[in-house]
Amino acid sequence: MKRRGKQFSLPIELVAEFHSGVIRLLVMWWIQHFEENVTAEQMDEYYYLLVNENIMSE
């Protein structure tokens, strides 16, 4: 995206660290809650909600 001329308001390295941290956290949570039978599709939805929704205002 950066090579295509996309401008970012934050350093792209920071954005990458943020998303990789969220993904790591979700994988750890998924492993720890294995007995709850959460699907990969549900984890994908959780990721989307965490990074795209304003969950703190609910």
Side-chain angles (χ1 to χ4, degrees):
M1 292 175 71
K2 193 173 182 179
R3 282 185 243 146
R4 294 182 191 156
K6 169 97 172 118
Q7 296 293 316
F8 295 95
S9 58
L10 296 168
I12 192 66
E13 295 82 6
L14 177 61
V15 174
E17 290 282 340
F18 172 79
H19 284 281
S20 64
V22 171
I23 291 168
R24 185 182 71 69
L25 175 99
L26 285 171
V27 169
M28 298 281 295
W29 184 90
W30 197 17
I31 291 168
Q32 293 170 350
H33 294 87
F34 177 77
E35 68 280 350
E36 295 178 29
N37 297 317
V38 178
T39 66
E41 291 77 15
Q42 287 172 301
M43 292 304 297
D44 184 54
E45 180 67 18
Y46 293 165
Y47 172 78
Y48 177 81
L49 290 171
L50 286 167
V51 299
N52 292 306
E53 296 290 326
N54 190 358
I55 61 174
M56 298 305 286
S57 65
E58 294 178 359

